[in-house]
Amino acid sequence: MKGKHTTRLIAGAVGAAGLVALLSAPTVMAATQAPMEGTLVALGDSITFGYNLPDTAGNTTPSVEAFPDWMAKQYHLSVTNLGVPGWTSKDLLLNLQQPDISSSIQHASLITLDIGSNDLLHFAARYNLLQDASTVATTYGLQLTPSEMQSGMQLVDQFKENLQATLAAIRKESQAPIILYTLYNPFPSGSPLHQVTNQFQGMMDDIIRQEAASFPKVVVAHAHSAFAGHQLEYVDLYLHDVHPTLQGQEVLAQVGESALAKAHLSPLSIPVTSSVSADAQMKPSGSVVTGQLGALKYTVSASAGAVSSKSEVLFVSLPPSQVQGMIPAGDRVVTSFSLNLSANTSLKAPLSVQLQFPSLQTGDELVQKTPGGWQSVQTASFQPGSVKFSVSTPGEYVVLSPVIQTVSATKPVTGVPVLPEAAMALAFLGFGAGVLRIARRR
């Protein structure tokens, strides 16, 4: 876009980072950070989701303080957080072929994968290893029966099959680097569950390392060793919760970045910048402007007399992670963008717009930001992979989709704080009578 053109962005700024500044003065655009160069796709459970962090709106939307967003800032990526509280390795595998998940993987620059903690928690719950604190009379270590041990080994074998199939399925869709996390032990040394958890986590971490070595561009982020001895800092034990604190989430991001750097890998570069050239203009006699921003293709058509004067079109892709926190709970941002015209240009008739984006589905909704809030665009007509609509007022738009529904998902364990049903053995650390202990009922 040539400097002589004056551009205005209509409506309010989207996102806390202020990636798009709204200007009515003769300045084109003010960007406050480096351009996004692709998308980090985060796969996993409640740890990836950022469960119980302050900005999740009651755990209805992924946190922008979870490790995927910390990591994305480092690489100047937008984020598609597909973490689902309660998912086991089986649940993730069963849901990989959902259209929105599959499409996100296909267009990923970087993928993170943290799964398996719920596999262990379901095993512990099945054998009543997690007890209500009021029944506890001892803090001695747990001893598994031969039957429980055999079941635990079957769990480990099943985890291996699920992880192998998951990595194979991802590699069919994308060649982006994958950061695969080992499982951290939330129970500190001295807790009755620490030794049992470490035993099975050690086996699962061995599998994680083995499977990572079997696929190209898969690196291992060592969450287990990073959290060992630091559970009181990195895990919300004071809140009777096994999920990471803000500090723990930052550590997860750091170990992921370290693993990628050690392997001399970097995210795939997928630049997301305006594709409109100086001659891509709307004319009073009628015009059609086309372009592509990453995976999003657009066509903007103006009939004769639709614009008052020759006008440049500015189509800007906005990172979904910058919009997610501004939309109603229960919806997920599929894609978001800003459509604007040169200053002093008025619309005499609506523009016709068609978008092509792999994740678009017939049940999606298009909304526009207005002074009164987000308003549904009634003219939008969705088909799988595309949407058509008319624009009477330029500005900011978001395509929303209902939150992902799990397919054959096991009943979540980490979907609620685990420790109200199993308080941690922390009394031995001397934190007073209000701190609870945990042990298996004998």
Side-chain angles (χ1 to χ4, degrees), residues 74-272:
Q74 176 70 21
Y75 300 118
H76 303 298
L77 301 174
S78 60
V79 178
T80 298
N81 190 326
L82 299 176
V84 179
W87 266 10
T88 64
S89 60
K90 179 181 178 181
D91 297 327
L92 174 61
L93 178 59
L94 289 173
N95 282 276
L96 280 178
Q97 296 308 311
Q98 284 198 28
D100 50 354
I101 296 180
S102 176
S103 176
S104 295
I105 292 173
Q106 290 173 19
H107 298 95
S109 296
L110 179 64
I111 297 169
T112 64
L113 177 56
D114 187 350
I115 199 71
S117 295
N118 286 308
D119 298 54
L120 275 175
L121 286 171
H122 280 291
F123 165 73
R126 185 186 314 138
Y127 290 101
N128 213 24
L129 301 180
L130 304 178
Q131 299 291 333
D132 185 272
S134 64
T135 68
V136 174
T138 178
T139 56
Y140 292 112
L142 299 173
Q143 296 295 323
L144 298 183
T145 67
S147 175
E148 291 169 347
M149 193 66 191
Q150 181 180 6
S151 179
M153 296 306 297
Q154 291 173 349
L155 161 91
V156 172
D157 290 341
Q158 187 61 60
F159 173 75
K160 179 177 181 179
E161 291 182 16
N162 294 340
L163 181 61
Q164 188 176 65
T166 295
L167 290 172
I170 293 173
R171 270 292 162 259
K172 287 182 180 179
E173 304 280 6
S174 172
Q175 293 305 308
I178 300 172
I179 300 176
L180 179 60
Y181 281 81
T182 61
L183 310 180
Y184 69 82
N185 189 343
F187 305 109
S189 177
S191 162
L193 283 180
H194 177 84
Q195 184 175 354
V196 172
T197 305
N198 257 3
Q199 181 178 0
F200 287 106
Q201 278 186 330
M203 298 179 198
M204 295 170 77
D205 286 351
D206 285 342
I207 290 170
I208 288 170
R209 287 186 286 267
Q210 293 166 8
E211 294 303 324
S214 301
F215 293 87
K217 296 199 295 184
V218 179
V219 300
V220 176
H222 297 282
H224 187 279
S225 58
F227 274 59
H230 298 280
Q231 284 91 341
L232 297 179
E233 305 163 61
Y234 301 161
V235 184
D236 261 332
L237 298 178
Y238 292 104
L239 299 179
H240 295 172
D241 187 11
V242 293
H243 296 97
T245 60
L246 286 173
Q247 187 176 359
Q249 290 284 358
E250 290 186 55
V251 169
L252 290 175
Q254 291 167 6
V255 297
E257 294 164 11
S258 176
L260 201 64
K262 186 176 180 180
H264 304 290
L265 293 174
S266 58
L268 298 180
S269 179
I270 307 176
V272 180

